[in-house]
PDB file of all heavy atoms in Angstrom:
ATOM      1  N   ASN T   1      80.620 151.032 201.507  1.00  0.00           N
ATOM      2  CA  ASN T   1      81.659 151.532 202.404  1.00  0.00           C
ATOM      3  C   ASN T   1      82.785 150.508 202.492  1.00  0.00           C
ATOM      4  O   ASN T   1      82.569 149.307 202.574  1.00  0.00           O
ATOM      5  CB  ASN T   1      81.092 151.782 203.777  1.00  0.00           C
ATOM      6  CG  ASN T   1      80.109 152.928 203.777  1.00  0.00           C
ATOM      7  OD1 ASN T   1      80.278 153.839 202.972  1.00  0.00           O
ATOM      8  ND2 ASN T   1      79.192 152.974 204.728  1.00  0.00           N
ATOM      9  N   GLY T   2      84.014 151.008 202.481  1.00  0.00           N
ATOM     10  CA  GLY T   2      85.189 150.167 202.606  1.00  0.00           C
ATOM     11  C   GLY T   2      86.127 150.322 201.489  1.00  0.00           C
ATOM     12  O   GLY T   2      85.765 150.524 200.331  1.00  0.00           O
ATOM     13  N   THR T   3      87.417 150.255 201.838  1.00  0.00           N
ATOM     14  CA  THR T   3      88.446 150.427 200.802  1.00  0.00           C
ATOM     15  C   THR T   3      88.480 149.220 199.833  1.00  0.00           C
ATOM     16  O   THR T   3      88.778 149.426 198.651  1.00  0.00           O
ATOM     17  CB  THR T   3      89.834 150.576 201.492  1.00  0.00           C
ATOM     18  OG1 THR T   3      89.746 151.587 202.483  1.00  0.00           O
ATOM     19  CG2 THR T   3      90.900 150.852 200.512  1.00  0.00           C
ATOM     20  N   VAL T   4      88.194 148.059 200.339  1.00  0.00           N
ATOM     21  CA  VAL T   4      88.250 146.901 199.441  1.00  0.00           C
ATOM     22  C   VAL T   4      87.192 147.014 198.320  1.00  0.00           C
ATOM     23  O   VAL T   4      87.490 146.589 197.167  1.00  0.00           O
ATOM     24  CB  VAL T   4      88.026 145.582 200.258  1.00  0.00           C
ATOM     25  CG1 VAL T   4      86.622 145.442 200.814  1.00  0.00           C
ATOM     26  CG2 VAL T   4      88.418 144.408 199.449  1.00  0.00           C
ATOM     27  N   PHE T   5      86.058 147.618 198.587  1.00  0.00           N
ATOM     28  CA  PHE T   5      85.075 147.825 197.549  1.00  0.00           C
ATOM     29  C   PHE T   5      85.533 148.882 196.489  1.00  0.00           C
ATOM     30  O   PHE T   5      85.215 148.773 195.319  1.00  0.00           O
ATOM     31  CB  PHE T   5      83.748 148.169 198.126  1.00  0.00           C
ATOM     32  CG  PHE T   5      83.180 147.134 199.024  1.00  0.00           C
ATOM     33  CD1 PHE T   5      82.947 147.357 200.350  1.00  0.00           C
ATOM     34  CD2 PHE T   5      82.889 145.892 198.487  1.00  0.00           C
ATOM     35  CE1 PHE T   5      82.462 146.311 201.184  1.00  0.00           C
ATOM     36  CE2 PHE T   5      82.357 144.860 199.308  1.00  0.00           C
ATOM     37  CZ  PHE T   5      82.154 145.100 200.643  1.00  0.00           C
ATOM     38  N   LYS T   6      86.268 149.913 196.933  1.00  0.00           N
ATOM     39  CA  LYS T   6      86.806 150.868 196.009  1.00  0.00           C
ATOM     40  C   LYS T   6      87.835 150.251 195.115  1.00  0.00           C
ATOM     41  O   LYS T   6      87.876 150.523 193.908  1.00  0.00           O
ATOM     42  CB  LYS T   6      87.418 152.037 196.773  1.00  0.00           C
ATOM     43  CG  LYS T   6      86.520 152.700 197.802  1.00  0.00           C
ATOM     44  CD  LYS T   6      85.301 153.346 197.193  1.00  0.00           C
ATOM     45  CE  LYS T   6      84.570 154.159 198.286  1.00  0.00           C
ATOM     46  NZ  LYS T   6      83.202 153.913 198.328  1.00  0.00           N
ATOM     47  N   VAL T   7      88.676 149.385 195.669  1.00  0.00           N
ATOM     48  CA  VAL T   7      89.684 148.663 194.865  1.00  0.00           C
ATOM     49  C   VAL T   7      89.001 147.791 193.871  1.00  0.00           C
ATOM     50  O   VAL T   7      89.403 147.675 192.671  1.00  0.00           O
ATOM     51  CB  VAL T   7      90.647 147.917 195.776  1.00  0.00           C
ATOM     52  CG1 VAL T   7      91.584 146.990 194.964  1.00  0.00           C
ATOM     53  CG2 VAL T   7      91.460 148.834 196.631  1.00  0.00           C
ATOM     54  N   GLN T   8      87.985 147.051 194.275  1.00  0.00           N
ATOM     55  CA  GLN T   8      87.220 146.200 193.382  1.00  0.00           C
ATOM     56  C   GLN T   8      86.600 146.984 192.246  1.00  0.00           C
ATOM     57  O   GLN T   8      86.643 146.557 191.073  1.00  0.00           O
ATOM     58  CB  GLN T   8      86.131 145.417 194.137  1.00  0.00           C
ATOM     59  CG  GLN T   8      86.662 144.417 195.076  1.00  0.00           C
ATOM     60  CD  GLN T   8      85.505 143.823 195.963  1.00  0.00           C
ATOM     61  OE1 GLN T   8      84.367 144.214 195.835  1.00  0.00           O
ATOM     62  NE2 GLN T   8      85.892 142.921 196.837  1.00  0.00           N
ATOM     63  N   ALA T   9      86.058 148.161 192.543  1.00  0.00           N
ATOM     64  CA  ALA T   9      85.458 148.980 191.525  1.00  0.00           C
ATOM     65  C   ALA T   9      86.461 149.487 190.498  1.00  0.00           C
ATOM     66  O   ALA T   9      86.217 149.441 189.329  1.00  0.00           O
ATOM     67  CB  ALA T   9      84.719 150.180 192.192  1.00  0.00           C
ATOM     68  N   VAL T  10      87.620 149.816 190.961  1.00  0.00           N
ATOM     69  CA  VAL T  10      88.670 150.272 190.039  1.00  0.00           C
ATOM     70  C   VAL T  10      89.144 149.116 189.168  1.00  0.00           C
ATOM     71  O   VAL T  10      89.290 149.332 187.927  1.00  0.00           O
ATOM     72  CB  VAL T  10      89.873 150.886 190.804  1.00  0.00           C
ATOM     73  CG1 VAL T  10      91.075 151.081 189.941  1.00  0.00           C
ATOM     74  CG2 VAL T  10      89.470 152.188 191.467  1.00  0.00           C
ATOM     75  N   ILE T  11      89.259 147.929 189.727  1.00  0.00           N
ATOM     76  CA  ILE T  11      89.658 146.799 188.928  1.00  0.00           C
ATOM     77  C   ILE T  11      88.602 146.471 187.869  1.00  0.00           C
ATOM     78  O   ILE T  11      88.932 146.217 186.697  1.00  0.00           O
ATOM     79  CB  ILE T  11      89.908 145.565 189.826  1.00  0.00           C
ATOM     80  CG1 ILE T  11      91.166 145.766 190.678  1.00  0.00           C
ATOM     81  CG2 ILE T  11      90.052 144.275 188.960  1.00  0.00           C
ATOM     82  CD1 ILE T  11      91.345 144.718 191.786  1.00  0.00           C
ATOM     83  N   LEU T  12      87.343 146.521 188.248  1.00  0.00           N
ATOM     84  CA  LEU T  12      86.278 146.284 187.279  1.00  0.00           C
ATOM     85  C   LEU T  12      86.173 147.355 186.165  1.00  0.00           C
ATOM     86  O   LEU T  12      85.972 147.031 185.042  1.00  0.00           O
ATOM     87  CB  LEU T  12      84.936 146.138 188.025  1.00  0.00           C
ATOM     88  CG  LEU T  12      84.677 144.868 188.805  1.00  0.00           C
ATOM     89  CD1 LEU T  12      83.415 144.957 189.640  1.00  0.00           C
ATOM     90  CD2 LEU T  12      84.621 143.694 187.829  1.00  0.00           C
ATOM     91  N   TRP T  13      86.396 148.614 186.600  1.00  0.00           N
ATOM     92  CA  TRP T  13      86.344 149.710 185.603  1.00  0.00           C
ATOM     93  C   TRP T  13      87.498 149.551 184.636  1.00  0.00           C
ATOM     94  O   TRP T  13      87.329 149.792 183.431  1.00  0.00           O
ATOM     95  CB  TRP T  13      86.361 151.044 186.281  1.00  0.00           C
ATOM     96  CG  TRP T  13      85.000 151.457 186.754  1.00  0.00           C
ATOM     97  CD1 TRP T  13      83.793 151.202 186.124  1.00  0.00           C
ATOM     98  CD2 TRP T  13      84.698 152.241 187.918  1.00  0.00           C
ATOM     99  NE1 TRP T  13      82.789 151.755 186.839  1.00  0.00           N
ATOM    100  CE2 TRP T  13      83.273 152.396 187.958  1.00  0.00           C
ATOM    101  CE3 TRP T  13      85.447 152.803 188.922  1.00  0.00           C
ATOM    102  CZ2 TRP T  13      82.680 153.056 188.975  1.00  0.00           C
ATOM    103  CZ3 TRP T  13      84.785 153.511 189.912  1.00  0.00           C
ATOM    104  CH2 TRP T  13      83.411 153.614 189.937  1.00  0.00           C
ATOM    105  N   LEU T  14      88.675 149.126 185.062  1.00  0.00           N
ATOM    106  CA  LEU T  14      89.799 148.910 184.182  1.00  0.00           C
ATOM    107  C   LEU T  14      89.516 147.738 183.227  1.00  0.00           C
ATOM    108  O   LEU T  14      89.796 147.821 182.034  1.00  0.00           O
ATOM    109  CB  LEU T  14      91.053 148.674 184.953  1.00  0.00           C
ATOM    110  CG  LEU T  14      91.675 149.887 185.670  1.00  0.00           C
ATOM    111  CD1 LEU T  14      92.865 149.456 186.537  1.00  0.00           C
ATOM    112  CD2 LEU T  14      92.111 150.931 184.634  1.00  0.00           C
ATOM    113  N   LEU T  15      88.949 146.675 183.746  1.00  0.00           N
ATOM    114  CA  LEU T  15      88.558 145.500 182.936  1.00  0.00           C
ATOM    115  C   LEU T  15      87.527 145.937 181.871  1.00  0.00           C
ATOM    116  O   LEU T  15      87.681 145.640 180.693  1.00  0.00           O
ATOM    117  CB  LEU T  15      88.027 144.388 183.780  1.00  0.00           C
ATOM    118  CG  LEU T  15      87.414 143.222 183.067  1.00  0.00           C
ATOM    119  CD1 LEU T  15      88.524 142.396 182.393  1.00  0.00           C
ATOM    120  CD2 LEU T  15      86.652 142.321 184.016  1.00  0.00           C
ATOM    121  N   ALA T  16      86.483 146.582 182.319  1.00  0.00           N
ATOM    122  CA  ALA T  16      85.455 147.033 181.379  1.00  0.00           C
ATOM    123  C   ALA T  16      85.960 148.020 180.363  1.00  0.00           C
ATOM    124  O   ALA T  16      85.615 147.987 179.173  1.00  0.00           O
ATOM    125  CB  ALA T  16      84.259 147.586 182.168  1.00  0.00           C
ATOM    126  N   GLY T  17      86.834 148.929 180.812  1.00  0.00           N
ATOM    127  CA  GLY T  17      87.396 149.906 179.878  1.00  0.00           C
ATOM    128  C   GLY T  17      88.276 149.307 178.821  1.00  0.00           C
ATOM    129  O   GLY T  17      88.176 149.648 177.636  1.00  0.00           O
ATOM    130  N   ALA T  18      89.085 148.314 179.206  1.00  0.00           N
ATOM    131  CA  ALA T  18      89.936 147.630 178.250  1.00  0.00           C
ATOM    132  C   ALA T  18      89.076 146.858 177.236  1.00  0.00           C
ATOM    133  O   ALA T  18      89.314 146.878 176.006  1.00  0.00           O
ATOM    134  CB  ALA T  18      90.926 146.717 178.959  1.00  0.00           C
ATOM    135  N   ALA T  19      88.071 146.144 177.722  1.00  0.00           N
ATOM    136  CA  ALA T  19      87.172 145.393 176.849  1.00  0.00           C
ATOM    137  C   ALA T  19      86.378 146.324 175.941  1.00  0.00           C
ATOM    138  O   ALA T  19      86.215 146.048 174.742  1.00  0.00           O
ATOM    139  CB  ALA T  19      86.197 144.546 177.673  1.00  0.00           C
ATOM    140  N   LEU T  20      85.975 147.505 176.443  1.00  0.00           N
ATOM    141  CA  LEU T  20      85.226 148.434 175.651  1.00  0.00           C
ATOM    142  C   LEU T  20      86.107 149.036 174.543  1.00  0.00           C
ATOM    143  O   LEU T  20      85.657 149.155 173.371  1.00  0.00           O
ATOM    144  CB  LEU T  20      84.683 149.547 176.522  1.00  0.00           C
ATOM    145  CG  LEU T  20      83.741 150.566 175.840  1.00  0.00           C
ATOM    146  CD1 LEU T  20      82.525 149.838 175.327  1.00  0.00           C
ATOM    147  CD2 LEU T  20      83.380 151.635 176.829  1.00  0.00           C
ATOM    148  N   VAL T  21      87.358 149.360 174.849  1.00  0.00           N
ATOM    149  CA  VAL T  21      88.268 149.884 173.821  1.00  0.00           C
ATOM    150  C   VAL T  21      88.492 148.886 172.719  1.00  0.00           C
ATOM    151  O   VAL T  21      88.450 149.189 171.542  1.00  0.00           O
ATOM    152  CB  VAL T  21      89.582 150.335 174.473  1.00  0.00           C
ATOM    153  CG1 VAL T  21      90.631 150.557 173.425  1.00  0.00           C
ATOM    154  CG2 VAL T  21      89.380 151.585 175.298  1.00  0.00           C
ATOM    155  N   LEU T  22      88.742 147.614 173.116  1.00  0.00           N
ATOM    156  CA  LEU T  22      89.014 146.580 172.118  1.00  0.00           C
ATOM    157  C   LEU T  22      87.735 146.325 171.267  1.00  0.00           C
ATOM    158  O   LEU T  22      87.836 146.074 170.048  1.00  0.00           O
ATOM    159  CB  LEU T  22      89.496 145.281 172.796  1.00  0.00           C
ATOM    160  CG  LEU T  22      90.877 145.353 173.427  1.00  0.00           C
ATOM    161  CD1 LEU T  22      91.172 144.121 174.225  1.00  0.00           C
ATOM    162  CD2 LEU T  22      91.907 145.614 172.388  1.00  0.00           C
ATOM    163  N   ALA T  23      86.575 146.250 171.915  1.00  0.00           N
ATOM    164  CA  ALA T  23      85.356 145.973 171.189  1.00  0.00           C
ATOM    165  C   ALA T  23      84.988 147.112 170.228  1.00  0.00           C
ATOM    166  O   ALA T  23      84.590 146.899 169.072  1.00  0.00           O
ATOM    167  CB  ALA T  23      84.215 145.723 172.167  1.00  0.00           C
ATOM    168  N   VAL T  24      85.164 148.308 170.660  1.00  0.00           N
ATOM    169  CA  VAL T  24      84.837 149.465 169.792  1.00  0.00           C
ATOM    170  C   VAL T  24      85.811 149.538 168.646  1.00  0.00           C
ATOM    171  O   VAL T  24      85.431 149.869 167.503  1.00  0.00           O
ATOM    172  CB  VAL T  24      84.814 150.807 170.651  1.00  0.00           C
ATOM    173  CG1 VAL T  24      84.805 152.006 169.718  1.00  0.00           C
ATOM    174  CG2 VAL T  24      83.600 150.779 171.572  1.00  0.00           C
ATOM    175  N   SER T  25      87.069 149.260 168.843  1.00  0.00           N
ATOM    176  CA  SER T  25      88.050 149.311 167.765  1.00  0.00           C
ATOM    177  C   SER T  25      87.701 148.194 166.733  1.00  0.00           C
ATOM    178  O   SER T  25      87.830 148.392 165.531  1.00  0.00           O
ATOM    179  CB  SER T  25      89.499 149.151 168.251  1.00  0.00           C
ATOM    180  OG  SER T  25      89.700 147.934 168.821  1.00  0.00           O
ATOM    181  N   SER T  26      87.310 147.021 167.229  1.00  0.00           N
ATOM    182  CA  SER T  26      86.935 145.968 166.325  1.00  0.00           C
ATOM    183  C   SER T  26      85.616 146.302 165.550  1.00  0.00           C
ATOM    184  O   SER T  26      85.496 146.035 164.378  1.00  0.00           O
ATOM    185  CB  SER T  26      86.765 144.681 167.079  1.00  0.00           C
ATOM    186  OG  SER T  26      86.336 143.630 166.260  1.00  0.00           O
ATOM    187  N   LEU T  27      84.733 146.934 166.280  1.00  0.00           N
ATOM    188  CA  LEU T  27      83.473 147.385 165.623  1.00  0.00           C
ATOM    189  C   LEU T  27      83.742 148.431 164.557  1.00  0.00           C
ATOM    190  O   LEU T  27      83.135 148.398 163.500  1.00  0.00           O
ATOM    191  CB  LEU T  27      82.497 147.885 166.708  1.00  0.00           C
ATOM    192  CG  LEU T  27      81.097 148.263 166.259  1.00  0.00           C
ATOM    193  CD1 LEU T  27      80.380 147.049 165.644  1.00  0.00           C
ATOM    194  CD2 LEU T  27      80.335 148.792 167.432  1.00  0.00           C
ATOM    195  N   TYR T  28      84.623 149.367 164.873  1.00  0.00           N
ATOM    196  CA  TYR T  28      85.012 150.384 163.880  1.00  0.00           C
ATOM    197  C   TYR T  28      85.650 149.757 162.667  1.00  0.00           C
ATOM    198  O   TYR T  28      85.365 150.195 161.541  1.00  0.00           O
ATOM    199  CB  TYR T  28      85.932 151.426 164.547  1.00  0.00           C
ATOM    200  CG  TYR T  28      86.386 152.475 163.544  1.00  0.00           C
ATOM    201  CD1 TYR T  28      85.507 153.480 163.189  1.00  0.00           C
ATOM    202  CD2 TYR T  28      87.658 152.451 163.002  1.00  0.00           C
ATOM    203  CE1 TYR T  28      85.902 154.432 162.264  1.00  0.00           C
ATOM    204  CE2 TYR T  28      88.041 153.389 162.100  1.00  0.00           C
ATOM    205  CZ  TYR T  28      87.172 154.426 161.731  1.00  0.00           C
ATOM    206  OH  TYR T  28      87.583 155.332 160.849  1.00  0.00           O
ATOM    207  N   GLU T  29      86.500 148.739 162.888  1.00  0.00           N
ATOM    208  CA  GLU T  29      87.127 148.082 161.739  1.00  0.00           C
ATOM    209  C   GLU T  29      86.057 147.372 160.863  1.00  0.00           C
ATOM    210  O   GLU T  29      86.112 147.439 159.639  1.00  0.00           O
ATOM    211  CB  GLU T  29      88.136 147.052 162.222  1.00  0.00           C
ATOM    212  CG  GLU T  29      88.846 146.273 161.148  1.00  0.00           C
ATOM    213  CD  GLU T  29      89.758 145.255 161.666  1.00  0.00           C
ATOM    214  OE1 GLU T  29      90.020 145.192 162.877  1.00  0.00           O
ATOM    215  OE2 GLU T  29      90.261 144.431 160.829  1.00  0.00           O
ATOM    216  N   CYS T  30      85.089 146.751 161.502  1.00  0.00           N
ATOM    217  CA  CYS T  30      84.004 146.077 160.736  1.00  0.00           C
ATOM    218  C   CYS T  30      83.184 147.101 159.926  1.00  0.00           C
ATOM    219  O   CYS T  30      82.860 146.863 158.807  1.00  0.00           O
ATOM    220  CB  CYS T  30      83.071 145.319 161.712  1.00  0.00           C
ATOM    221  SG  CYS T  30      83.852 143.928 162.542  1.00  0.00           S
ATOM    222  N   ILE T  31      82.814 148.213 160.585  1.00  0.00           N
ATOM    223  CA  ILE T  31      82.002 149.190 159.905  1.00  0.00           C
ATOM    224  C   ILE T  31      82.726 149.834 158.773  1.00  0.00           C
ATOM    225  O   ILE T  31      82.186 150.036 157.674  1.00  0.00           O
ATOM    226  CB  ILE T  31      81.487 150.194 160.944  1.00  0.00           C
ATOM    227  CG1 ILE T  31      80.457 149.501 161.857  1.00  0.00           C
ATOM    228  CG2 ILE T  31      80.853 151.387 160.241  1.00  0.00           C
ATOM    229  CD1 ILE T  31      79.972 150.364 162.977  1.00  0.00           C
TER     230      ILE T  31
END
């Protein structure tokens, strides 16, 4: 509960999403 936790979750999801896109594109290039 709390708005600060929702903001934290959005920040973490953006960080994880950016890392996932970069990692998958690099993995695709390797394969």
Side-chain angles (χ1 to χ4, degrees):
N1 291 333
T3 306
V4 69
F5 297 117
K6 306 296 188 229
V7 170
Q8 290 172 0
V10 168
I11 292 169
L12 285 173
W13 278 325
L14 288 173
L15 172 71
L20 186 62
V21 165
L22 292 174
V24 168
S25 68
S26 178
L27 186 60
Y28 178 75
E29 180 184 350
C30 293
I31 290 173

